[in-house]
Amino acid sequence: MEKLTNKEEEIMKILWRLKKAFVKEIMEEISVNKPHYNTLSTIVRNLEEKKFVGFIAYGKTHQYHPIVSKESYYKAYVNEDMVGYFDNSYKNLVSFFAKEEKISVKELKEIINLIENNK
């Protein structure tokens, strides 16, 4: 599975949320730095070529849907980022967010609870 560009990830997040959409509907969901319709259409076709989305044709228009799940994509690339940025250590990952105050004590306790209950 290929890593997506930031813009491709943004489009995939929209498709994962909507489940299926025409380019026009995807465009409506973009609030910041809205691309030109043709640019967005090209990005979606690139996602199709990369086998991230499929489509159903309705005449000349296409309704797109995700083929790759959000979970499988994030599983592949969170691990890659962890190796690159956190020396392959989940402890380093969590402590980074704790030091940056991006995770609360309550959330850390919830994570500990999840770990203890999944054994």
Side-chain angles (χ1 to χ4, degrees), residues 45-63:
R45 282 194 309 277
N46 288 343
L47 288 167
E48 179 195 346
E49 288 176 20
K50 291 179 177 183
K51 308 233 184 291
F52 275 82
V53 300
F55 68 88
I56 298 172
Y58 295 97
K60 292 184 179 184
T61 190
H62 296 91
Q63 185 180 48

Side-chain angles (χ1 to χ4, degrees), residues 24-72:
K24 177 182 162 193
E25 294 169 321
I26 296 169
M27 180 72 82
E28 291 170 359
E29 296 294 314
I30 300 171
S31 56
V32 179
N33 297 326
K34 201 174 284 249
H36 187 275
Y37 182 92
N38 291 340
T39 302
L40 178 58
S41 184
T42 298
I43 294 168
V44 174
R45 282 194 309 277
N46 288 343
L47 288 167
E48 179 195 346
E49 288 176 20
K50 291 179 177 183
K51 308 233 184 291
F52 275 82
V53 300
F55 68 88
I56 298 172
Y58 295 97
K60 292 184 179 184
T61 190
H62 296 91
Q63 185 180 48
Y64 295 93
H65 59 272
I67 294 174
V68 173
S69 73
K70 181 178 178 180
E71 293 75 22
S72 63

